[in-house]
Amino acid sequence: MSKAVLTVALLAPLALVPAAEPPARGFPGRLPLTKPTDRPLSAAMQRAYDFWGIASLGSPRGVSQNDRMELYSNFRYSRLEGFDYSCNTSRRDPTKVLKIDGTYYVWYTHRKTEAPPSGTGKATDTIPSADWDLAEIWYATSNDGFAWQEQGVAVPRPPKPDYGWRSVTTPDVLVFKGKYYLYYKGQPIHSSDESPGLELVRAQGLAISEDPLGPFTKHPLNPVITSGHETCLFPWKGGIAAITSLDGPEKNTVQFAPDGVNFEIMSSIEMPPLAPGPFVADAFSDNEDGRGITWGLCHIPPPVDATAPGNWAENAHFTLARFDCDLSRDTHRSNFKSTYPGRYDEEAFFSSRAHLSGWLLNQVKKEQQQLDRNTILQQQ
């Protein structure tokens, strides 16, 4: 067989095999500004282009990628001056802060009782069952938002047995599209009802009125937010933004609804303020140009008993505090766009609320003896 024939014989079988495709390329290190169509994308990259916006993934050296997210911020806290917390006094759930003729105003839940909260079984007409029980709405004023002067009762409790005699607590409202939008928290009281299904532990509803005095009509799509322990809403561009915290599957997020009803998550946040009442200069302007917020008041919960994490420490009370942030279109604060440097300090991890101690520590140790089997190195 000649060399030419041998060569053809050897190559002939190879001709039947298609040429190998070039190896698949990874996503380029420099992200395209438009969504690629020449390659499959993971679910995360689909969201990066379709929901978050690709700019949120990239940033100049030394700048947090959160810097490009308008509705993202971390939060910094300050103690307030001017409030006395002696003798079973508690303050919580502040409203939006208003500025009228150069003076700041805030309303809040105020309790001053002869004894601390004692639970439902031991409560009386003068001893509260919970921190918000036997409370009234008080108000305070300030010239700078840091030092406050308590002015006294704004809405007193009615006499027994009138509705609300046990407690009156914080209201809140926005003006939107020519109407009054009243957002409120819904919470079930567990009963003997054995109907199928689950109760929403926390949810936020909406009622709308033509007049600030009502009547308010509940929205047919309620609940409009499925998470959050308290309400915190403010105008943002042509819609309404909300901060949710503490409870629910969408807790610790900032959300936005162009129509004030159908909210979508815009960012996840760390250590958000509890029961925040932001300063909102345009809360009632209804001009479809919401500017956002930079500060407000919130409440800080008391420490708990280290030996029984479900209980408060002795003489505990909720405290009003100030938070600052950058959820505003009118300023840019890079320090509020980064995640917390080093996360949290040691005191936070080992605080009475986060430290593993008491009966819970004993429970974990007992369960660990049953749960922690030898690590499986090879399936037999």
Side-chain angles (χ1 to χ4, degrees):
M1 182 180 294
S2 67
K3 182 181 294 186
V5 174
L6 178 61
T7 301
V8 172
L10 292 175
L11 293 178
L14 298 179
L16 300 177
V17 180
E21 296 182 1
R25 294 170 52 209
F27 203 89
R30 184 172 291 275
L31 303 177
L33 297 181
T34 58
K35 184 178 179 180
T37 58
D38 61 345
R39 67 183 66 240
L41 300 179
S42 68
M45 290 305 299
Q46 294 276 6
R47 290 194 302 273
Y49 281 98
D50 298 339
F51 182 76
W52 297 111
I54 195 63
S56 67
L57 295 186
S59 61
R61 182 179 298 275
V63 177
S64 169
Q65 67 187 46
N66 299 324
D67 194 64
R68 298 177 183 269
M69 300 174 63
E70 287 185 305
L71 282 175
Y72 171 83
S73 180
N74 63 47
F75 300 86
R76 309 297 174 100
Y77 297 90
S78 304
R79 297 185 185 276
L80 298 180
E81 301 176 15
F83 292 114
D84 176 19
Y85 286 93
S86 61
C87 300
N88 296 310
T89 300
S90 187
R91 297 175 183 87
R92 54 183 294 158
D93 301 315
T95 63
K96 287 179 178 62
V97 178
L98 306 182
K99 187 177 184 181
I100 302 173
D101 295 332
T103 299
Y104 296 104
Y105 291 79
V106 69
W107 291 258
Y108 47 90
T109 301
H110 178 282
R111 175 183 61 81
K112 185 177 181 63
T113 52
E114 66 181 40
S118 59
T120 304
K122 298 180 180 179
T124 68
D125 286 3
T126 57
I127 298 177
S129 63
D131 187 68
W132 44 261
D133 191 19
L134 299 180
E136 299 174 312
I137 296 175
W138 283 42
Y139 79 106
T141 60
S142 174
N143 294 324
D144 62 3
F146 290 92
W148 292 81
Q149 298 79 45
E150 195 158 57
Q151 302 297 334
V153 179
V155 182
R157 287 187 292 128
K160 185 181 180 180
D162 291 351
Y163 183 79
W165 77 268
R166 192 77 199 183
S167 190
V168 287
T169 55
T170 304
D172 212 359
V173 70
L174 284 173
V175 176
F176 185 61
K177 297 187 181 299
K179 299 181 180 180
Y180 295 87
Y181 276 51
L182 175 64
Y183 293 91
Y184 59 91
K185 180 185 74 172
Q187 179 175 343
I189 298 177
H190 299 291
S191 65
S192 58
D193 181 12
E194 296 181 358
S195 59
L198 297 173
E199 292 178 326
L200 278 172
V201 176
R202 298 284 193 281
Q204 296 183 32
L206 168 63
I208 303 174
S209 175
E210 302 281 351
D211 189 279
L213 299 179
F216 284 85
T217 302
K218 293 182 179 180
H219 198 281
L221 293 184
N222 280 347
V224 296
I225 298 177
T226 61
S227 303
H229 195 86
E230 295 95 5
T231 60
C232 176
L233 299 108
F234 53 92
W236 178 261
K237 298 184 178 179
I240 293 177
I243 297 175
T244 68
S245 59
L246 279 185
D247 296 308
E250 296 179 351
K251 62 181 174 292
N252 298 349
T253 61
V254 179
Q255 303 189 17
F256 174 70
D259 59 359
V261 176
N262 294 286
F263 286 85
E264 297 285 349
I265 295 174
M266 304 307 294
S267 69
S268 297
I269 50 179
E270 300 175 79
M271 202 176 178
L274 305 182
F279 170 67
V280 189
D282 54 5
F284 312 120
S285 64
D286 195 24
N287 60 7
E288 298 187 358
D289 187 33
R291 308 307 301 180
I293 63 173
T294 59
W295 71 278
L297 301 189
C298 62
H299 69 219
I300 304 294
V304 296
D305 185 343
T307 62
N311 299 328
W312 290 0
E314 187 178 357
N315 298 324
H317 54 260
F318 278 72
T319 304
L320 293 183
R322 173 179 167 131
F323 71 88
D324 282 85
C325 63
D326 181 5
L327 292 171
S328 170
R329 299 167 61 193
D330 297 324
T331 187
H332 179 73
R333 302 170 171 176
S334 58
N335 285 338
F336 287 91
K337 292 298 184 180
S338 61
T339 54
Y340 287 103
R343 300 297 181 181
Y344 305 112
D345 294 335
E346 180 179 349
E347 295 88 305
F349 289 99
F350 297 114
S351 68
S352 63
R353 290 184 174 273
H355 184 221
L356 182 60
S357 59
W359 65 268
L360 187 57
L361 172 61
N362 293 330
Q363 177 184 339
V364 167
K365 287 183 175 180
K366 182 177 179 180
E367 291 178 349
Q368 181 176 323
Q369 295 177 3
Q370 303 296 324
L371 296 173
D372 289 5
R373 303 174 183 175
N374 288 331
T375 302
I376 298 175
L377 300 179
Q378 182 177 357
Q379 190 68 40
Q380 299 297 326

